[in-house]
Amino acid sequence: MLDIRDHESVTLFYMGRSPLGFLLYPVYAFLVGDTLIDTGTNRAGKEFLSALTGRKITKIVNTHHHEDHIGNNGDIQELFKIPIYAHSSALPYLENPRLNDLRFYQRVVWDWPKKSKGTAIASGIDAGSHHFEVINSPGHTDDHICLYEPDKKWLFTGDLFCGTTFIYLRKDENYSQILDTLKKLSQFEIETVFCNLKGAVKNGKEALLKKISKMEQLRDDVLKLRDKGLSPKRVRQEILGSEDSWNLITGGHYSKQNTIDSILSGKRPDRIT
Ligand SMILES: [Zn+2]
């Protein structure tokens, strides 16, 4: 399935695998000027490539290496003969997507991308008449970048924002690092957030601040119960309730317990600055 819509001068491509008409975990990719920001899932590759044919595209920027962001890199690079820019730590995954050890649900929903050739992105990049500042934004992955367009006050957030609520965490995500990065991003003047999960989010700065506030509250609630002597599982049960289908479908890759455990561990891996 592929749906195409515009927000101001940004074209949004909403895509996903849709067996029997049921859409599985769709994602967005964006076209700004002559630049494609992420390439979605190859499960919608045919429709996406057909929709891109005839458009002017001179480069791709990937926000991070996950399979639903680089899914059509290979085919688009071959078709348009264009460079792909990403964080230097993402480049090995572009070259060899099998380095990303996909779980069963990820293979079913998004599948492995084809190989592509990337180049390390600099601190700024042009997209037609627009100029983006490239902001290192670790937390979801270490190689995650966001793109900020100061004239339009647009912020492209990859998988860092994903809505104002916070319940589930990926096993390899870091709660405090996501919070720190969101705080850094909230310093910018932002009118619209372009999120690969939610699409165009108006009042972007307010949305980021709302998420930050909720995450701080959740962290404080968790730490209070920890200080009362509750076990991590009891803390999860008290605050977020029982695990649900997300835990089941993803085999624990996304779970409520991951959120609690990450808050409690307070791990802060080396920052990418
Ligand atoms: Zn991701």
Side-chain angles (χ1 to χ4, degrees):
M1 188 286 299
L2 177 77
D3 179 61
I4 305 171
R5 62 190 83 153
D6 291 316
H7 182 92
E8 298 183 46
S9 53
V10 179
T11 304
L12 289 77
F13 299 90
Y14 187 56
M15 69 185 91
R17 188 176 186 188
S18 53
L20 304 171
F22 182 74
L23 188 57
L24 296 173
Y25 307 108
V27 292
Y28 282 92
F30 306 99
L31 182 63
V32 186
D34 57 3
T35 301
L36 203 51
I37 300 175
D38 286 334
T39 63
T41 164
N42 70 18
R43 292 293 192 186
K46 266 189 190 167
E47 294 155 285
F48 188 35
L49 254 77
S50 153
L52 294 180
T53 305
R55 295 177 189 259
K56 186 185 177 195
I57 300 173
T58 65
K59 63 178 127 14
I60 292 167
V61 176
N62 289 137
T63 56
H64 62 296
H65 72 270
H66 283 161
E67 68 282 359
D68 50 335
H69 295 258
I70 68 168
N72 295 298
N73 271 20
D75 283 336
I76 296 170
Q77 185 166 55
E78 198 178 304
L79 184 66
F80 288 90
K81 315 286 181 216
I82 53 175
I84 300 173
Y85 298 96
H87 191 286
S88 57
S89 300
L91 303 182
Y93 293 95
L94 270 57
E95 193 114 12
N96 180 11
R98 299 263 168 171
L99 287 175
N100 196 6
D101 190 16
L102 298 190
R103 295 174 180 227
F104 177 70
Y105 85 96
Q106 293 171 295
R107 297 199 300 272
V108 170
V109 176
W110 300 297
D111 203 7
W112 269 290
K114 284 185 189 166
K115 294 177 181 184
S116 59
K117 173 83 182 138
T119 304
I121 196 163
S123 58
I125 193 160
D126 289 328
S129 60
H130 300 284
H131 179 75
F132 284 112
E133 296 171 18
V134 177
I135 307 159
N136 289 313
S137 45
H140 176 66
T141 61
D142 284 347
D143 61 11
H144 198 289
I145 56 168
C146 290
L147 299 171
Y148 181 61
E149 209 284 25
D151 291 337
K152 294 284 187 182
K153 300 184 174 62
W154 293 336
L155 183 69
F156 289 78
T157 54
D159 274 351
L160 194 83
F161 170 67
C162 296
T164 53
T165 56
F166 204 110
I167 301 172
Y168 311 96
L169 192 80
R170 240 176 95 124
K171 231 182 179 58
D172 51 0
E173 286 180 311
N174 184 293
Y175 192 92
S176 61
Q177 205 174 26
I178 291 172
L179 186 52
D180 286 348
T181 299
L182 286 169
K183 285 181 182 173
K184 182 172 82 170
L185 294 171
S186 71
Q187 305 296 313
F188 291 83
E189 286 306 316
I190 306 160
E191 281 186 5
T192 309
V193 158
F194 290 91
C195 165
N196 287 65
L197 186 69
K198 298 287 184 182
V201 180
K202 292 175 189 170
N203 302 317
K205 184 164 179 146
E206 284 167 37
L208 290 192
L209 290 172
K210 192 172 176 186
K211 178 146 194 165
I212 290 165
S213 169
K214 284 190 177 184
M215 287 183 73
E216 286 179 331
Q217 185 65 54
L218 177 59
R219 179 199 58 199
D220 294 349
D221 291 347
V222 167
L223 295 178
K224 264 184 216 160
L225 291 187
R226 188 269 317 267
D227 292 346
K228 283 186 180 173
L230 271 66
S231 70
K233 276 194 177 169
R234 278 289 310 282
V235 172
R236 187 257 299 150
Q237 192 64 38
E238 290 286 326
I239 296 177
L240 298 175
S242 301
E243 295 288 4
D244 54 26
S245 55
W246 267 96
N247 183 48
L248 199 66
I249 291 167
T250 65
H253 202 206
Y254 277 90
S255 75
K256 298 176 180 179
Q257 194 65 52
N258 291 343
T259 303
I260 303 298
D261 292 347
S262 184
I263 292 171
L264 291 174
S265 71
K267 273 187 295 187
R268 287 171 184 250
D270 293 341
R271 308 272 176 84
I272 298 168
T273 55

